[in-house]
Amino acid sequence: MSDSQPPARLPLEWIAASLRRERARVGLSLSELAKRAGIAKSTLSQLEGGGGNPSVETLWALAVALGVPFSALVEPPAPSVQVIRAGQGPSVASEQANYVGALLSSSPPGARRDIYRITAEPGAARDSEPHIPGSVEHLIVSTGRVKAGPKGEEIELEPGDYMAYRGDVAHSYEALLPGTTFVLVMQHM
């Protein structure tokens, strides 16, 4: 990602359609889903209408409340061949830290895994609430250094290092060097 061009934002119409589809699938009202996700009903209504600027935290909370992987809310229509160049692709930024997640591949029907390329800068940790039960995260560091893992069990990793840990418990990621990047594979059981 170059300094002159910000990462692509997720098209809000993808998120809106996905939220409406998943909320209808589980039979929840706007009020009930907002309550379960811990967000304002007006925020959810705005997102379902194709407006707003959702953060990673808001979308994760909605995904957990709906019992679906994060990617179910942000996945684009799938082309037959897909190439995402470095620094491009649908991305969502964190409110907590200088952390941007770009969805590289969502889980196709029958499979349950998502692949992300993460860019992060030092400053603050990106805390993550537990994901759906049975989630496992696999992390491979590309550049820089990152401290990641379940709360109280975080480990420092360098380029080429791999770790796997439960994603259904509170966990975090913290860039320790500028220009930190890593690949995150979320496996949903």
Side-chain angles (χ1 to χ4, degrees):
M1 177 170 53
S2 70
D3 291 334
S4 62
Q5 191 172 23
R9 296 291 300 174
L10 288 167
L12 293 175
E13 56 272 11
W14 292 352
I15 295 170
S18 296
L19 282 170
R20 289 189 304 268
R21 177 191 70 232
E22 294 300 327
R23 186 170 63 81
R25 181 186 59 78
V26 297
L28 293 176
S29 67
L30 269 172
S31 297
E32 183 60 25
L33 177 55
K35 180 180 172 183
R36 289 183 184 189
I39 65 170
K41 179 181 173 184
S42 60
T43 299
L44 178 56
S45 178
Q46 186 178 25
L47 290 175
E48 282 197 6
N53 188 17
S55 67
V56 167
E57 293 80 10
T58 298
L59 293 175
W60 275 115
L62 287 165
V64 169
L66 289 164
V68 298
F70 176 82
S71 62
L73 300 183
V74 299
E75 63 189 347
S80 59
V81 174
Q82 182 179 15
V83 174
I84 299 176
R85 303 285 180 200
Q88 297 180 352
S91 301
V92 179
S94 171
E95 294 176 336
Q96 301 172 357
N98 190 347
Y99 172 102
V100 177
L103 178 64
L104 300 179
S105 174
S106 62
S107 183
R112 295 183 54 108
R113 61 96 189 114
D114 305 317
I115 303 170
Y116 298 88
R117 184 171 127 326
I118 306 296
T119 58
E121 297 296 328
R126 185 346 193 147
D127 293 323
S128 183
E129 293 297 318
H131 305 312
I132 59 178
S135 295
V136 175
E137 294 194 358
H138 303 265
L139 189 151
I140 304 165
V141 179
S142 303
T143 61
R145 200 166 79 228
V146 65
K147 183 178 179 182
K151 287 292 190 177
E153 298 179 60
E154 295 91 343
I155 297 172
E156 288 188 24
L157 303 167
E158 296 183 353
D161 289 349
Y162 161 84
M163 78 180 299
Y165 52 90
R166 290 181 53 191
D168 57 2
V169 298
H171 53 282
S172 69
Y173 321 90
E174 181 179 2
L176 302 175
L177 291 175
T180 295
T181 60
F182 55 95
V183 174
L184 180 66
V185 177
M186 295 201 60
Q187 173 183 314
H188 309 287
M189 301 293 196

